[in-house]
């Protein structure tokens, strides 16, 4: 996907502050952190959202959960708690249409729910 900013980050065409990388996954700091710890974890493969994931993608999505736990531990938020969330589509406020999981922690997070 030539116009996808997260594909460009994967390809190294755009910079990012990486915290984890392997053959299938990249994790990097969110450019506009909404919490003291705010990391984005993405598959290197372009998948537009969870809703676009197919059976061939479940393995990498499971892998993302494992990496989220690891990055949380390395970020020092395992004990204090953290949130792992993916936005899908307009009502969830998805802006970047390349599947990504937000890992947020380091402070008390606001409850999930309706926009106020
Ligand atoms: P969404 O609303 O799509 O779930 O979240 C997209 C997230 O990507 C936002 O938190 C936003 O700050 C982050 N973001 C957008 N562009 C960039 C970028 O170029 N680099 C990084 N590191 N994060 C980005
Ligand atoms: Zn992409």
């Amino acid at each position: 996907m030539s116009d996808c900013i997260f594909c460009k980050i994967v390809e190294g065409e755009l910079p990012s502050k990486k915290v984890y990388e392997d053959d299938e996954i990249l994790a990097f700091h969110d450019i506009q952190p909404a919490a003291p710890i705010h990391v984005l974890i993405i598959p290197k493969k372009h998948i537009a959202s969870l809703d676009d994931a197919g059976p061939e993608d479940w393995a990498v999505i499971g892998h993302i959960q494992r990496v989220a736990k690891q990055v949380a531990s390395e970020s020092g938020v395992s004990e204090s708690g953290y949130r792992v969330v993916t936005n899908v589509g307009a009502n969830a406020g998805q802006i970047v249409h390349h599947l990504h999981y937000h890992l947020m922690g380091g402070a008390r997070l606001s409850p999930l729910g309706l926009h106020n």
Side-chain angles (χ1 to χ4, degrees):
M1 290 289 287
S2 55
D3 59 346
C4 172
I5 54 171
F6 286 180
C7 283
K8 286 183 176 158
I9 285 174
V10 168
E11 296 302 325
E13 293 169 24
L14 282 177
S16 67
K17 291 185 181 169
K18 293 177 192 177
V19 297
Y20 176 89
E21 182 169 19
D22 64 31
D23 288 349
E24 294 186 311
I25 286 174
L26 185 64
F28 50 95
H29 289 287
D30 195 291
I31 204 167
Q32 251 188 313
I37 301 296
H38 190 172
V39 171
L40 301 174
I41 308 168
I42 70 170
K44 289 187 171 178
K45 175 187 173 187
H46 183 88
I47 305 166
S49 78
L50 181 61
D51 204 58
D52 293 280
E56 69 279 13
D57 300 318
W58 301 139
V60 74
I61 288 170
H63 186 179
I64 285 172
Q65 305 298 311
R66 185 183 67 69
V67 169
K69 176 179 165 177
Q70 181 181 324
V71 173
S73 172
E74 290 168 357
S75 303
V77 298
S78 294
E79 267 189 41
S80 52
Y82 57 94
R83 178 174 292 158
V84 179
V85 67
T86 188
N87 292 319
V88 180
N91 267 355
Q94 185 181 5
I95 295 165
V96 178
H97 294 276
H98 179 130
L99 177 64
H100 53 279
Y101 286 75
H102 298 257
L103 164 61
M104 304 167 76
R108 185 86 179 172
L109 301 171
S110 55
L112 293 170
L114 296 176
H115 196 272
N116 50 27

